[in-house]
Amino acid sequence: MPFSNRKILLGVTGGIAVYKALELTRLLKKQGADVRVVMTKSATAFVQPLSFQALSGHSVHFELLDTEAENAMGHIELARWADVFVMAPATANTLAKIAHGLADDLVSTLYLAATCPIYVAPAMNHAMWKHPATQANLKILQTHGVNLIAPESGEQACGEIGVGRMAEPETICRGVLQTPAHEDDFGYTGRCNLPLQKSGVCKTPLRIIITAGATREPLDPVRYLTNRSSGKMGYALAVAAQKSGANVTLISGVTHTAPPLNCHFIQVETAEQMHTAVFENLENCDIFIGAAAVADYRPIVCGDEKIKKNAEQITLTLQKNPDILANVAALDSPPFTVGFAAETHELERYAREKLTRKKLNMIAANWVGRDEGGFERDENALEVFWRDGQQSLAMTEKSELARQLITLISERYYAKN
Ligand code: PMT
């Protein structure tokens, strides 16, 4: 069984999604894990600890200062015992507390005491999720190396619609399953040797921002201009960068592709929103990869009313969008900047022209509008160029191609730094 002998500490904090943590406990147990549950006081208002006890087969811990519980297994012992610590649901309040090192209950104390991989599966109202305070706390947690299992979009318990609903138990279980049982399960000799962790300093991941997918440029309330990007290439890069030890922020247009687990995922719609999201997240960014197919132009006017189809012809006036990639590379102290080039002809000439004009460190060029590779497909091939070199990456699955590109990027990144 995939989780045989894995010791999983489940921190349950107070929100309506507590009921889903019961199913999560059941799924983790079914995979062979030994699960111990810790609840905050407010979580016990939603579901009785007895339910978790019945499913996990162990007493539930909820008091920090309970001599009996401390005698059985104290909080430091619990933290040492765990192979993985999962907080699901993690409320806005708990995220804020752990981001700032407050330890006033058992769950937040265990956060400070645990040295194992930590996952948080937030659950809250969509306005609370979007609030700059929550987003700032998530960024802090990312610098602690916490893995985020992003909340989903949909109807919330309060009746409103938006992002904030806790990920489904199956999704959380799959995310936790990705944690390597041994450090060299990543395929490297040890975590310190992962290519996207700062050399010499153990477990200091590089910060990578990746853009992916197509932007949508609204014409009226129901129509928009877009392109064929599915997000597959950018999402595969996010997974490959994570496996190489990086802290990944994925900024994506609307896609039908499920976002990778554990990365900081930001969904946007338009090129201007993508530009804003990139610049809001650039602090301490080591590597920027622009895999998104950003619309070069947007309709100059987006009316409140649907455009009527009375006229035989209509004219759209378009306004140039900001060039996200070029603006990142033009910063005083830019991250290592990698662009993509989607070309229908003269691939090398146009790619090298973009490399120079946009002042990039590297560019990965792919053919588009052909039978294979490029937009929407599961496979792709790339010609990668930098100032004094180039490398061809042959047609293969996007997941494998992304792994090869991330390796190449890390080599060039260290050659430059
Ligand atoms: O998403 P998939 O279906 O998997 O397809 C993958 C892909 C074909 C979309 C991907 O491999 C790719 O080529 N992405 C870049 C597509 C593109 O917009 O290329 P471009 O040559 O028009 O742009 C050059 C670079 O500038 C790109 O890095 C782009 O992200 C960036 N750009 C462009 C315009 C703009 N306003 N801002 C930008 O940042």
Side-chain angles (χ1 to χ4, degrees):
M1 272 195 277
F3 272 157
S4 289
N5 306 320
R6 300 296 287 282
K7 301 182 199 107
I8 298 191
L9 188 58
L10 177 60
V12 182
T13 73
I16 186 69
V18 170
Y19 77 93
K20 286 188 180 176
L22 289 172
E23 173 64 0
L24 177 61
T25 309
R26 196 188 65 78
L27 287 176
L28 292 169
K29 287 284 291 179
K30 205 171 147 203
Q31 299 287 338
D34 187 2
V35 183
R36 294 202 178 235
V37 180
V38 180
M39 298 175 81
T40 59
K41 216 175 185 123
S42 49
T44 62
F46 289 90
V47 171
Q48 288 293 317
L50 197 59
S51 308
F52 283 101
Q53 181 175 317
L55 286 167
S56 69
H58 296 290
S59 321
V60 172
H61 304 250
F62 40 90
E63 294 288 359
L64 180 57
L65 303 171
D66 177 336
T67 37
E68 229 170 80
E70 287 288 302
N71 275 341
M73 197 187 238
H75 64 276
I76 297 292
E77 226 175 303
L78 259 182
R80 281 203 200 117
W81 170 85
D83 292 327
V84 184
F85 183 18
V86 188
M87 281 180 234
T91 59
N93 181 49
T94 295
L95 294 177
K97 282 201 295 192
I98 61 176
H100 296 280
L102 295 180
D104 63 351
D105 59 25
L106 188 52
V107 172
S108 51
T109 303
L110 284 167
Y111 174 77
L112 286 185
T115 53
C116 59
I118 298 180
Y119 289 77
V120 292
M124 65 198 73
N125 164 273
H126 65 100
M128 293 169 74
W129 171 253
K130 273 199 293 207
H131 196 283
T134 304
Q135 292 302 316
N137 290 332
L138 286 166
K139 276 189 213 153
I140 294 174
L141 291 175
Q142 198 177 25
T143 66
H144 299 180
V146 169
N147 301 294
L148 172 72
I149 301 181
E152 292 172 2
S153 174
E155 192 170 347
Q156 301 204 279
C158 55
E160 293 173 11
I161 292 177
V163 178
R165 214 166 63 175
M166 188 174 90
E168 290 305 314
E170 293 78 12
T171 311
I172 301 173
C173 190
R174 250 188 300 122
V176 176
L177 202 60
Q178 284 174 8
T179 312
H182 307 290
E183 299 204 323
D184 54 4
D185 281 3
F186 276 115
Y188 301 98
T189 49
R191 268 184 97 80
C192 297
N193 292 339
L194 291 176
L196 294 180
Q197 296 197 335
K198 281 180 186 142
S199 49
V201 187
C202 282
K203 301 189 179 188
T204 311
L206 293 184
R207 264 212 75 213
I208 301 202
I209 297 180
I210 299 171
T211 65
T215 62
R216 286 177 177 176
E217 310 298 330
L219 271 170
D220 69 13
V222 292
R223 304 181 179 97
Y224 50 80
L225 301 179
T226 192
N227 60 66
R228 292 180 182 278
S229 172
S230 62
K232 287 178 188 170
M233 191 69 241
Y235 285 32
L237 284 164
V239 171
Q242 270 182 334
K243 285 189 175 167
S244 295
N247 250 337
V248 178
T249 298
L250 177 62
I251 302 174
S252 171
V254 179
T255 69
H256 297 293
T257 309
L261 296 166
N262 313 329
C263 68
H264 181 206
F265 180 72
I266 303 172
Q267 190 174 76
V268 295
E269 196 166 343
T270 65
E272 284 184 302
Q273 288 168 3
M274 187 173 273
H275 189 270
T276 304
V278 166
F279 276 79
E280 278 176 359
N281 284 277
L282 267 180
E283 206 183 344
N284 301 324
C285 173
D286 299 294
I287 299 175
F288 176 83
I289 307 176
V294 184
D296 293 315
Y297 292 89
R298 65 179 181 276
I300 208 155
V301 187
C302 168
D304 293 337
E305 290 177 13
K306 192 176 161 197
I307 300 169
K308 290 290 166 207
K309 47 181 179 287
N310 303 330
E312 274 310 305
Q313 291 187 344
I314 58 167
T315 305
L316 290 177
T317 309
L318 303 177
Q319 164 78 45
K320 199 160 193 185
N321 271 326
D323 190 318
I324 303 165
L325 185 67
N327 290 351
V328 169
L331 289 168
D332 285 344
S333 143
F336 186 89
T337 307
V338 183
F340 267 73
E343 307 296 345
T344 51
H345 57 290
E346 295 201 61
L347 184 102
E348 175 161 359
R349 184 159 83 83
Y350 286 125
R352 282 206 176 273
E353 184 273 321
K354 282 175 187 163
L355 178 77
T356 311
R357 178 168 50 84
K358 299 196 186 193
K359 298 189 173 63
L360 310 177
N361 296 101
M362 284 175 91
I363 193 155
N366 45 196
W367 290 108
V368 291
R370 297 187 166 204
D371 284 348
E372 64 222 22
F375 288 104
E376 294 176 309
R377 309 278 172 159
D378 290 331
E379 293 194 325
N380 201 10
L382 293 168
E383 290 294 330
V384 190
F385 303 98
W386 55 98
R387 206 180 57 188
D388 44 13
Q390 74 180 75
Q391 190 163 322
S392 301
L393 303 179
M395 182 70 68
T396 182
E397 293 279 322
K398 282 180 177 167
S399 54
E400 169 56 19
L401 191 67
R403 197 192 61 74
Q404 293 173 15
L405 182 59
I406 289 293
T407 304
L408 192 54
I409 290 172
S410 72
E411 283 166 16
R412 301 308 315 155
Y413 170 81
Y414 286 114
K416 178 178 176 283
N417 287 286

